[in-house]
């Protein structure tokens, strides 16, 4: 199994290390052609304005949209969530740059600013598990579409969500010991491999 990490900016090596620890081959993605032959993809955290600008320079957004619409499993974390969200409510700085979209949520890109600019917060998973998430200038998910499943909450707030094969989190799962989102991405990737083979 080969999982790509968008490697233009952000927490690239941390995601790579986490994926490698789960036994998958990691491929760094910097160009549209590098999206071929992937079974899954991580869009890391970092800074969405920089990420969107760098994506535009190499014309990556149309290819990302196409592969994700085709069913490529994807995990977007923090800035990666901002790239996937259908609506960004404080998106003035992103104007003029294409994002990927496709995840019916509305986010505020710096919604966890201020005192929560950087914090490890307790999480409750829909499957009953508990854990914690590392939030760094994190986007807040303010609204989720009816077709979106909430995977984890902090208090009442959705902080990890799923729609089909699109997974996204406000926090940085690669910075805590909880491997469940990366494992879920690998499960979806394995299912897609079976589907394509079958
Ligand atoms: N708020 C940042 C943004 O807009 C995301 C921060 C992060 O990825 N740690 O991109």
């Amino acid at each position: 199994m080969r999982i790509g990490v968008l490697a233009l900016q952000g927490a690239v090596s941390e995601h790579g290390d986490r994926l490698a620890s789960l036994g998958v081959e990691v491929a760094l993605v910097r160009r549209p052609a590098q999206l071929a032959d992937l079974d899954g993809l991580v869009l890391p955290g970092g800074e969405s304005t920089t990420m969107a600008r760098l994506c535009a320079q190499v014309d990556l957004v149309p290819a990302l949209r196409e592969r994700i619409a085709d069913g490529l499993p994807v995990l977007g974390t923090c800035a990666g969530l901002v790239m996937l969200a259908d609506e960004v409510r404080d998106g003035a700085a992103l104007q003029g740059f294409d994002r990927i979209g496709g995840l019916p949520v509305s986010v505020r890109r710096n919604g966890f600013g201020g005192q929560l600019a950087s914090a490890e917060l307790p999480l409750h998973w829909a499957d009953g598990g508990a854990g914690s998430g590392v939030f760094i200038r994190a986007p807040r998910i303010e609204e989720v579409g009816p077709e979106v499943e909430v995977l984890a909450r902090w208090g009442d707030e959705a902080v990890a969500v799923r729609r089909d094969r699109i997974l996204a989190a406000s926090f940085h799962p690669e910075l805590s010991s909880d491997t469940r989102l990366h494992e879920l991405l690998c499960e979806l990737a394995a299912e897609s491999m079976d589907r394509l083979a079958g």
Side-chain angles (χ1 to χ4, degrees):
M1 181 187 298
R2 213 169 125 84
I3 306 275
V5 181
L6 181 67
L8 298 175
Q9 191 260 338
V12 175
S13 59
E14 292 84 350
H15 277 289
D17 291 349
R18 172 58 51 88
L19 290 166
S21 80
L22 296 175
V24 305
E25 188 189 337
V26 178
L28 300 184
V29 174
R30 298 195 175 93
R31 297 281 181 276
Q34 293 166 330
L35 289 169
D37 301 330
L38 295 182
D39 304 304
L41 177 68
V42 171
L43 305 172
E47 174 54 49
S48 55
T49 52
T50 308
M51 209 174 281
R53 186 168 46 78
L54 294 173
C55 277
Q57 280 175 10
V58 288
D59 202 21
L60 249 172
V61 169
L64 285 166
R65 280 188 189 141
E66 195 178 311
R67 288 289 273 125
I68 294 169
D70 244 20
L72 179 71
V74 61
L75 167 63
T77 65
C78 209
L81 158 65
V82 176
M83 292 296 285
L84 290 168
D86 276 347
E87 187 194 14
V88 181
R89 289 187 170 161
D90 55 348
L94 283 160
Q95 295 252 304
F97 296 107
D98 271 352
R99 292 178 306 101
I100 303 163
L103 179 64
V105 297
S106 297
V107 301
R108 199 166 289 279
R109 52 191 242 342
N110 291 312
F112 277 101
Q115 89 222 43
L116 296 178
S118 193
E120 187 154 358
L121 301 174
L123 304 181
H124 296 283
W125 292 85
D127 65 8
S132 64
V134 177
F135 291 73
I136 304 171
R137 291 175 289 104
R140 216 161 193 142
I141 301 173
E142 294 192 337
E143 224 176 291
V144 298
E147 62 276 54
V148 173
E149 181 188 345
V150 176
L151 299 176
R153 292 181 192 274
W154 169 63
D156 289 341
E157 289 195 34
V159 292
V161 294
R162 170 178 181 181
R163 188 219 183 177
D164 299 333
R165 298 188 190 89
I166 302 180
L167 310 172
S170 300
F171 53 92
H172 282 255
E174 77 286 5
L175 298 181
S176 72
S177 54
D178 190 337
T179 56
R180 74 178 82 203
L181 283 175
H182 292 87
E183 282 177 34
L184 181 54
L185 177 68
C186 292
E187 276 168 35
L188 295 174
E191 276 170 31
S192 293
M193 289 165 77
D194 286 349
R195 188 171 48 93
L196 294 175

